[in-house]
Amino acid sequence: MRVIGIDPGLRACGWGVIEVDGSHVRHVASGTCRPEGDALCDRLLSLHTLLRAVVAAQAPDAAAIEQTFVNKNGQGTLKLGQARGVAMLVPAQAGLRVGEYAPNAIKKAVVGAGHADKAQVLHMVRLQLPGCDPDSADATDALAIALCHAFHLRSSSRLAAALKA
């Protein structure tokens, strides 16, 4: 199963795709979409176009995105929420359900600590996905989101199997 993780943003939107086969996980691709335009509507349209191209090229089976955290700047939070809406729309248009995870849950799943810093996340992503070299912190976060979703999918399928038995 292919899983795409998306770390939404208006300036840089990270994406990462992993392949999951049982307990084996491998890096497929990752990158950073950099939307163009000055007006918010232009940046959102650019983000939509860029993410559609990624989803079409990578053909994921599942998708996950980071939940928005509220910061002190309400205007910034609203803009991030709009980028997040576009980032959720694109996989939904491709027929995928989109898992949502809080930043601390992602870090806990990948690093083992909910308040891990960026360097720790990068280290654990590289450790779990040998050979990957994310081009930005956003791409690293997207791979971590994909890993978190893969772990949750695997746990929920094990739980479902145990409940059937």
Side-chain angles (χ1 to χ4, degrees), residues 55-139:
V55 169
Q58 298 302 325
D61 302 302
I65 190 167
E66 186 175 71
Q67 290 176 341
T68 302
F69 59 92
V70 178
N71 57 32
K72 293 177 184 176
N73 179 352
Q75 194 72 7
T77 301
L78 285 172
K79 287 180 182 178
L80 178 59
Q82 291 168 326
R84 188 172 177 275
V86 169
M88 289 184 73
L89 174 64
V90 170
Q93 286 177 321
L96 303 175
R97 292 190 64 98
V98 181
E100 301 177 65
Y101 300 95
N104 286 353
I106 296 163
K107 292 174 185 176
K108 180 125 177 122
V110 175
V111 178
H115 294 285
D117 63 29
K118 295 276 187 191
Q120 290 171 305
V121 174
L122 176 61
H123 175 75
M124 291 306 291
V125 164
R126 284 184 170 156
L127 191 66
Q128 294 175 56
L129 301 170
C132 81
D133 188 24
D135 68 355
S136 70
D138 302 292

Side-chain angles (χ1 to χ4, degrees), residues 143-157:
L143 287 167
I145 294 162
L147 285 167
C148 177
H149 193 52
F151 298 153
H152 282 269
L153 289 174
R154 189 170 34 217
S155 295
S156 62
S157 66

